[in-house]
């Protein structure tokens, strides 16, 4: 199946055609109300563990190792239910993964988008 997955910062304005909006961060983003976020779901359980997130620290030099570790986490029992729900949403139409991370291109949302579209690690 050809899934349409995009990723944005939760703080950015949202286009009307982005489909389901799902926050995939473990923590609620600072400075934004639940109403202002316009979410369809918040799947905090699909986010990297706190230990992995702290180890990574969004250091670009650690991205490939972070990616490998996070893909392994997505297969564990703690992440599976939320990951399956995310897959279901992606199967229903366009999906936007939202994060508070400053650079989504080197965040867990990039790994999730690749994983959902059938990239490595599936």
């Amino acid at each position: 199946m050809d899934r349409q997955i995009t990723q944005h910062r939760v703080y950015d304005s949202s286009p009307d055609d982005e489909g389901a909006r799902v926050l995939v961060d473990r923590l609620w983003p600072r400075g934004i109300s639940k109403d202002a976020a316009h979410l369809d779901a918040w799947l905090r359980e699909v986010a990297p563990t706190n230990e992995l997130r702290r180890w990574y620290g969004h250091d670009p030099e650690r991205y490939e190792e972070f990616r490998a570790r996070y893909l392994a986490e997505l297969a564990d029992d703690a992440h599976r239910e939320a990951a399956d729900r995310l897959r279901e949403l992606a199967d229903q139409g366009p999906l936007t993964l939202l994060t508070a991370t400053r650079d989504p291109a080197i965040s867990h949302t990039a790994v999730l988008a690749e994983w959902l579209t059938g990239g490595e690690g599936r």
Side-chain angles (χ1 to χ4, degrees):
M1 172 172 262
D2 217 15
R3 295 178 175 141
Q4 182 183 344
I5 312 291
T6 57
Q7 50 185 323
H8 293 291
R9 294 190 73 225
V10 69
Y11 303 107
D12 296 342
S13 61
S14 61
D16 293 333
D17 62 346
E18 66 182 358
R21 292 172 47 87
V22 180
L23 179 65
V24 292
D25 286 353
R26 191 162 297 276
L27 304 173
W28 186 261
R30 294 179 189 196
I32 191 164
S33 70
K34 291 187 180 183
D35 288 339
H38 303 289
L39 299 179
D40 294 294
W42 178 19
L43 296 176
R44 69 181 70 126
E45 298 85 4
V46 79
T49 60
N50 287 330
E51 295 79 20
L52 179 57
R53 183 176 54 82
R54 286 183 193 117
W55 171 83
Y56 176 44
H58 290 89
D59 179 348
E61 292 181 16
R62 291 184 170 183
Y63 179 75
E64 287 306 317
E65 178 66 20
F66 165 77
R67 181 183 163 281
R69 291 182 186 190
Y70 183 45
L71 286 170
E73 282 189 356
L74 288 173
D76 70 23
D77 289 341
H79 287 81
R80 187 168 294 122
E81 188 176 325
D84 288 345
R85 176 69 181 125
L86 202 54
R87 247 192 238 114
E88 289 170 11
L89 288 168
D91 287 343
Q92 294 172 10
L95 175 67
T96 299
L97 304 173
L98 297 168
T99 183
T101 305
R102 292 183 201 270
D103 189 353
I106 60 166
S107 77
H108 65 292
T109 59
V111 178
L112 275 173
E114 175 188 9
W115 182 77
L116 286 166
T117 56
E120 268 186 66
R122 285 282 320 266

